Amino acid sequence: MDVANPTGAGEGGIVEAARPADTGRRARTEKLILDATREMLAEVGVNGLTVEGVANRSGVAKTTIYRRYRSKTDLALAVLLDSVEYLGTTPDVGDTYAELAEVVDRTIELLNSTLIGRIMQGLVSEIAADPELALAYRERVVNRRVADVRRLVERGISRGDLRPDVDAEMLTDLLLGPIYYRFFLSGSPLDEGFGVRLVSTLFSRGPAQGA
Amino acid sequence: MDVANPTGAGEGGIVEAARPADTGRRARTEKLILDATREMLAEVGVNGLTVEGVANRSGVAKTTIYRRYRSKTDLALAVLLDSVEYLGTTPDVGDTYAELAEVVDRTIELLNSTLIGRIMQGLVSEIAADPELALAYRERVVNRRVADVRRLVERGISRGDLRPDVDAEMLTDLLLGPIYYRFFLSGSPLDEGFGVRLVSTLFSRGPAQGA
DNA sequence: TTGAAACGCTACGTTGCGTAGCGTTAGTAC
DNA sequence: GTACTAACGCTACGCAACGTAGCGTTTCAA
C-alpha cells in the first residue's frame, strides 16, 4: 500500500528547499495519474474506473501505475484521501448546537457537491471488506472527525451546554450515521436543513424525556 | 430485474393446491442456484462471487442463470432479499425504550451472525449507485424498518413515553445510522450493549437539555 | 559524467463477462 | 400415450481488463 506516502520522501531526510520531491519526476507522474483518475471518476464512477483507462488518459504507462497502486481500489482511495486532506475544523461560533449542526451540514455538502460522494459510494464496500483500506480510512477520516467533535464537546461542556459525560464518539456516530445511512441505503433527502433538524431532534426538542 | 418475482407465478392466477410452482422444475432450479450462491457468498463474499462459480457448484448451466439474473449483483441481492424476507416486527414488552433498543440489537445481531452482514458489505456500493437496486432495497427493507419503528412510536406516544411530534423516519435514521456507520466505515465495536447505550444517549440520559 | 531510480513499451497468459445457436428434457393438456 | 411448450444444457464464442515479465530509455542528482 503506497497510498499513505506516495513519494517515499520527506520522512527521515534532511529538509531541503521547498520539498524538492514535489517537483521531481516522480511527483509529476504522480500528479498526472491522480488527475486522470479524478477525471475518470467524475465521468464513470469507481465502478467504471479502469487502470488501462487511467493509463491512456494520463499518458503514463500502465506498468508504471501498477508499480504504485496495487489496484484500482488503491487508486481511488488515494484520490479520496487526497481530497479529504483539508477537512478543517469547525469554527467556534459561540453556539454549541449550531456548531454541531455545522458538522452535519458540512459533511452533507461534501458528499453532495464534490467527487467525494461519488467515490465514497463506490468505495464503501471495499473499505468495509478490506482491513487495510479500512485502517487507512479510519486514520485519515474517521479519527479526524471524532477529534473535531471532541473539541466541540469540550467547548460545549465548558459553556454548560453539554453534560460532562458526553461520549464524543457516540455523538459523532449519531451525527454522521444518519447521513451515510441516507446517502447509501435509504435514499431519503439530505438538504440544507438536515443538520439543524437532526441536532434539535437529538437535544431534547424531539422526543420527551425518560419516564 | 427478476429478483422480486422469480417464478412469475402467484400474482394474478387462481390459487391452486399448495402453490404448484414451488415444486416445479423452475422452482427446483431456483433453489439450486440460490443455495449455491449462498454457499459461495459465505466463502468468498460478494466480491469473489462469480456466475461461473455458481454454475459449477449448482450444476445449473451458466446460460440458465443468466436467463434469470442480469448479473452477479442481481444474484446477491436476490439472496439478500430472500434472507431478509422474515424480518418480523418488534414485540410489545411494555417499555418503549427497551423496544427501541431491541430494534438496534436485532439489527446488529442480523449483521453479525448471518450472511446478511457480509452481503451488505459487498452490496452497499451497488445499492448506492444503482437506482433500480436501491428501489428494491428500500421497498423490501428500509420501508419495513420505518414502519416497525412507527408502530413503536405510536405505542410510545399513547403510553406517554414519547412526544406526539416524534418523526419516525428521523428516529429510524438515528437508531440504524450509527450501526451501519460503524459496520461499514468506522469499524468501532457493535456489541450487545450498544442498543441500550444508544437509546439512553438519545433520550435525555446523555447530553444535557437545551440552553 | 555516470549511476541508479523511474519510466515506457510490447507482449503475454488468465479470468470472467455476457451472448448466440441449437439440441434435449420435463412437465401439461388433450 | 402423444404432442406441445417452457425450461434447461451445452459448446463456442468475442471481449474487456486484469496483472506481470522483460528489456530498453529517460531523468536527475551526486
Side-chain angles (χ1 to χ4, degrees):
Chain A
M1 174 98 86
D2 278 324
V3 169
N5 190 14
T7 68
E11 223 67 34
I14 297 167
V15 177
E16 305 179 29
R19 270 192 147 230
D22 285 3
T23 57
R25 181 153 81 139
R26 182 168 185 110
R28 253 183 291 133
T29 306
E30 186 78 18
K31 181 162 164 44
L32 286 174
I33 295 173
L34 291 185
D35 284 348
T37 303
R38 244 182 290 267
E39 284 178 32
M40 207 168 165
L41 280 171
E43 290 172 17
V44 297
V46 175
N47 223 336
L49 185 72
T50 66
V51 175
E52 309 212 349
V54 173
N56 292 336
R57 191 182 288 253
S58 65
V60 173
K62 189 173 68 160
T63 44
T64 298
I65 299 177
Y66 274 110
R67 284 185 187 112
R68 301 172 180 229
Y69 304 97
R70 285 216 201 114
S71 62
K72 74 174 186 185
T73 297
D74 224 37
L75 198 46
L77 184 66
V79 171
L80 176 69
L81 294 182
D82 190 60
S83 308
V84 153
E85 198 63 36
Y86 315 99
L87 260 184
T89 59
T90 310
D92 184 338
V93 298
D95 180 345
T96 302
Y97 303 110
E99 287 166 8
L100 292 174
E102 178 72 9
V103 171
V104 174
D105 287 335
R106 274 200 188 186
T107 304
I108 291 174
E109 179 71 11
L110 198 70
L111 292 178
N112 278 339
S113 70
T114 68
L115 255 185
I116 294 183
R118 194 134 182 210
I119 300 178
M120 281 301 299
Q121 283 188 338
L123 275 192
V124 55
S125 283
E126 317 275 352
I127 293 174
D130 184 332
E132 213 173 348
L133 297 185
L135 183 64
Y137 183 79
R138 274 163 220 166
E139 285 178 349
R140 308 278 288 263
V141 184
V142 173
N143 290 349
R144 292 191 183 187
R145 244 89 169 264
V146 174
D148 189 37
V149 171
R150 184 165 288 125
R151 273 190 292 272
L152 298 193
V153 167
E154 284 164 4
R155 283 214 293 267
I157 292 174
S158 69
R159 285 181 190 134
D161 288 340
L162 299 179
R163 295 190 173 188
D165 64 342
V166 171
D167 178 351
E169 192 195 5
M170 182 65 98
L171 182 55
T172 308
D173 292 350
L174 283 167
L175 292 173
L176 302 186
I179 297 176
Y180 288 103
Y181 181 67
R182 289 196 171 202
F183 191 67
F184 292 145
L185 296 176
S186 96
S188 293
L190 287 167
D191 44 56
E192 317 79 35
F194 191 73
V196 170
R197 272 192 292 143
L198 181 63
V199 171
S200 66
T201 300
L202 256 174
F203 292 91
S204 85
R205 276 157 255 180
Q209 309 324 316
Chain B
M1 176 98 87
D2 278 324
V3 170
N5 191 15
T7 67
E11 223 65 35
I14 297 168
V15 177
E16 305 180 28
R19 272 193 147 227
D22 286 3
T23 57
R25 180 152 81 141
R26 181 166 186 114
R28 252 182 292 135
T29 305
E30 186 79 18
K31 182 163 165 42
L32 285 175
I33 295 174
L34 291 185
D35 284 348
T37 303
R38 243 182 290 266
E39 283 179 33
M40 206 168 165
L41 280 172
E43 289 172 17
V44 296
V46 174
N47 223 336
L49 186 72
T50 65
V51 175
E52 309 213 349
V54 173
N56 292 336
R57 191 182 289 254
S58 65
V60 173
K62 189 173 67 159
T63 44
T64 298
I65 298 177
Y66 274 110
R67 284 184 187 115
R68 299 172 181 229
Y69 304 97
R70 285 214 200 115
S71 61
K72 74 174 185 183
T73 298
D74 224 37
L75 198 46
L77 184 67
V79 171
L80 176 68
L81 294 182
D82 190 60
S83 308
V84 153
E85 197 62 37
Y86 314 98
L87 259 184
T89 59
T90 310
D92 185 338
V93 297
D95 179 344
T96 301
Y97 303 111
E99 286 166 9
L100 292 174
E102 179 71 10
V103 170
V104 174
D105 287 335
R106 275 200 188 187
T107 304
I108 292 174
E109 178 72 11
L110 198 69
L111 292 178
N112 278 339
S113 68
T114 69
L115 255 184
I116 294 184
R118 194 132 182 213
I119 300 178
M120 281 302 299
Q121 283 187 337
L123 275 190
V124 55
S125 282
E126 317 275 351
I127 293 175
D130 183 333
E132 212 173 349
L133 297 185
L135 184 64
Y137 183 79
R138 275 164 220 165
E139 286 177 349
R140 307 278 288 264
V141 183
V142 174
N143 290 349
R144 291 190 184 187
R145 245 91 170 259
V146 174
D148 188 37
V149 171
R150 184 165 287 125
R151 271 190 293 273
L152 297 192
V153 167
E154 284 165 4
R155 283 213 294 266
I157 292 174
S158 69
R159 283 181 191 133
D161 288 340
L162 300 178
R163 295 190 173 187
D165 64 341
V166 171
D167 178 349
E169 193 195 4
M170 183 65 98
L171 183 54
T172 307
D173 292 348
L174 283 167
L175 293 173
L176 302 186
I179 297 176
Y180 287 103
Y181 181 67
R182 290 194 170 202
F183 190 68
F184 292 143
L185 296 176
S186 96
S188 294
L190 286 167
D191 44 55
E192 315 80 35
F194 191 73
V196 170
R197 272 192 291 144
L198 180 63
V199 171
S200 67
T201 300
L202 256 175
F203 292 92
S204 84
R205 274 158 257 179
Q209 309 323 316

